[in-house]
Amino acid sequence: MLAPVHEVPAFISGPKRHLINGQWVDAASGRQIDVVNPATGEVISQIAAGDATDIDRAVAAARRAFEGEWSRWTPHQRRKLLLKVHDVVLDNFEELATIETLDMGAPLQRTRGLAEWTSQVLQFFASQCDVATASTPPNSLPGNFLTLKHLAPVGVVGGVIPWNGPLIGLWWIFGPALATGCTAVLKPAEDASLSVLRIAELLTEAGVPDGVINVVTGYGAEAGQALSEHRDVDRLAFTGSVGTARSIVRASATNFKRLQLELGGKSPDIVFADADLDKAVPGAAMGVYTNSGQVCVAGSRILVQRPIYDEFVARIGEFTKTVRVGDGLDPNTQLGPLINQRQLDRVQQYIQIGGTEGAELVTGGNRLDHLGPGYFLEPTIFADATNTMTIAREEIFGPVASVIPFDDVEDALRIANDTEYGLAGGVWTRDLSTAHNVSRGIQAGTIWVNCYGVLDPSIGFGGYKMSGYGWKGAKEHVESYLYPKAVYINLD
Ligand code: TAP
């Protein structure tokens, strides 16, 4: 396949380094990791393979910055900085979107579309710079005491993010760190670090002081593990798989660091017989396929009420055939490749298991060989799935939906909640009380009614059950970068 003609940002070429204490430095070991464009399978760059030594240096820089001049910045200064970051990042967004597309495959349609969301998220965190308010509650102490309660920044924050959307994921760490006066060390995924590194450059350009934001690239088992074990990291935000989360929880015991975990999902998207199918069919389909299914909130179990089951399956099958898969640099592409060969193999294995366990393959299921060596897969629909099948229980993280029939509200909720996850859910109905009762009944942190996947940073989202804990977005998120402190002042 001919690669679409598009200007490749100059930033892509040449080996990349860590950002530590405002300096671009090689990995202490000198090792590098090849960066592969998942749409072509070609090596397009290299990143530094960081390890415990690099993490040590970055955490020490973050600690020095936390205790230095940065700790005296006023909320107004931090707000001005965040607004400057906003302007610099938005001015360079076309380049950032292209880097993200080349690095992790998401189509330009999606990565360009993140500009407005990025503007919102940065403006939201800028608005939160004075969230560390103090109060003077009355006390019942004998004598003459003034009691003060205030909130202080937790200190050095670690971040470990996955490859499925670094342009989104990094702000959940950098935003609140800059808003509250914390400092950060971020370890992006080895498969998608380039947009993070370019943003780190832009942060420096915008005036973020040395050591406040540090980026160490590398493998999870080395750099990621070292960061989660580090005794001088006060809080760690992790997004990724349940298995890695277990190792992070264990590693955090070194110093009982505060954790925020956003993990996988197997979210139910429930379509009632009275739903507007003109909206529900594309809405539920793209609720799974978006970002080639590599989305934590993917509504990968589509529950459909029996009276419309056959019609729904036929219509979603037809819709699925219209979805355009290809190189993300082509502005018409709706779905790009999966991130790498391992993920493609994993998703294809699930598709095989779905067939073996008796689900009916309506459409899709094949690797798109005619698109070249990239990791392209057809969006895939299974009908007649049951909630006990592997494809309905495990997070596939690919464009694969299982359509499961149900009878009534009670049945829908029983199936929806029969999962170890609790990240998100959807309801499609014209009936207000059905919408309300079902959204109340789904055991998950985020529910969408007659839509799927929208997100306002000032409202936020979060997980329940094995999908993790800790709200992302809204005031709660910012407050989790602070710790409460009481001061007892004897006035006598
Ligand atoms: P993970 O291994 O969980 O990767 C997420 C992040 O954790 C990456 O930055 C990874 O680094 C890092 N990491 C890996 N091992 C670590 C360790 N021992 N200590 C600290 N950090 C570590 O996920 P994956 O292997 O990329 O994907 C596997 C499956 O997880 C996916 O198929 C999907 O089902 C699920 N997943 C879910 C999400 C969300 S948003 N829910 C995101 C990603 C993956 P490296 O990648 O550089 O090794």
Side-chain angles (χ1 to χ4, degrees), residues 54-404:
D54 303 289
I55 290 289
D56 257 343
R57 287 161 67 194
V59 173
R63 176 62 57 191
R64 277 196 306 279
F66 178 69
E67 290 173 359
E69 182 60 28
W70 175 241
S71 66
R72 288 181 285 282
W73 278 46
T74 63
H76 176 61
Q77 286 175 302
R78 294 197 304 272
R79 184 165 38 243
K80 269 174 70 176
L81 177 63
L82 267 159
L83 292 173
K84 177 77 180 158
V85 167
H86 170 278
D87 291 349
V88 172
V89 166
L90 268 286
D91 283 350
N92 290 277
F93 211 85
E94 178 63 17
E95 181 198 357
L96 288 166
T98 309
I99 292 171
E100 185 91 325
T101 294
L102 287 163
D103 197 16
M104 53 74 67
L108 278 178
Q109 264 190 21
R110 175 178 170 86
T111 56
R112 280 179 174 152
L114 292 174
E116 185 53 31
W117 186 86
T118 304
S119 171
Q120 273 191 44
V121 87
L122 279 164
Q123 294 204 32
F124 167 71
F125 284 119
S127 77
Q128 298 297 299
C129 292
D130 46 13
V131 86
T133 51
S135 62
T136 54
N139 61 71
S140 305
L141 296 164
N144 186 13
F145 278 84
L146 174 68
T147 41
L148 264 178
K149 280 184 82 179
H150 61 103
L151 296 167
V154 292
V156 176
V157 173
V160 177
I161 59 171
W163 37 260
N164 61 338
L167 258 188
I168 303 175
L170 87 177
W171 295 122
W172 297 127
I173 293 146
F174 291 167
L178 293 174
T180 56
C182 289
T183 56
V185 178
L186 182 67
K187 205 298 285 178
E190 94 223 16
D191 282 319
S193 294
L194 295 183
S195 62
V196 175
L197 292 168
R198 179 65 183 125
I199 281 183
E201 273 187 0
L202 295 174
L203 293 180
T204 308
E205 189 183 317
V208 173
D210 292 352
V212 169
I213 294 293
N214 305 273
V215 177
V216 174
T217 53
Y219 296 110
E222 297 178 3
Q225 183 74 22
L227 186 60
S228 51
E229 280 171 357
H230 204 290
R231 294 184 69 94
D232 209 23
V233 172
D234 301 291
R235 182 191 194 280
L236 191 107
F238 171 70
T239 302
S241 65
V242 167
T244 304
R246 283 210 176 86
S247 111
I248 283 184
V249 170
R250 279 193 292 272
S252 72
T254 50
N255 63 333
F256 303 120
K257 54 180 68 67
R258 287 146 200 264
L259 291 180
Q260 185 252 312
L261 305 174
E262 188 213 323
L263 313 178
K266 198 70 205 175
S267 298
D269 199 3
I270 308 173
V271 185
F272 282 87
D274 70 341
D276 177 349
L277 291 190
D278 289 344
K279 291 182 180 151
V281 168
M286 294 316 288
V288 193
Y289 301 152
T290 296
N291 211 27
S292 300
Q294 304 165 120
V295 178
C296 51
V297 296
S300 52
R301 288 184 298 147
I302 304 177
L303 278 46
V304 180
Q305 203 163 17
R306 282 194 200 278
I308 57 159
Y309 187 82
D310 290 342
E311 182 188 354
F312 184 91
V313 168
R315 288 181 65 169
I316 199 167
E318 285 311 308
F319 175 84
T320 300
K321 289 177 197 156
T322 68
V323 176
R324 293 181 299 274
V325 183
D327 191 318
L329 291 180
D330 180 340
N332 293 316
T333 292
Q334 290 174 283
L335 300 186
L338 296 177
I339 187 70
N340 54 31
Q341 183 67 48
R342 184 166 46 100
Q343 191 66 11
L344 178 64
D345 291 344
R346 191 171 172 272
V347 176
Q348 285 193 292
Q349 205 179 346
Y350 276 114
I351 291 171
Q352 201 188 347
I353 293 171
T356 313
E357 289 187 354
E360 185 208 332
L361 182 65
V362 177
T363 185
N366 298 308
R367 183 180 181 159
L368 291 162
D369 291 323
H370 70 279
L371 292 176
Y375 315 116
F376 296 100
L377 184 70
E378 284 178 322
T380 303
I381 290 280
F382 278 109
D384 293 336
T386 69
N387 206 48
T388 56
M389 290 178 179
T390 308
I391 52 169
R393 301 211 74 78
E394 297 184 11
E395 183 176 48
I396 297 175
F397 231 56
V400 182
S402 302
V403 190
I404 304 171

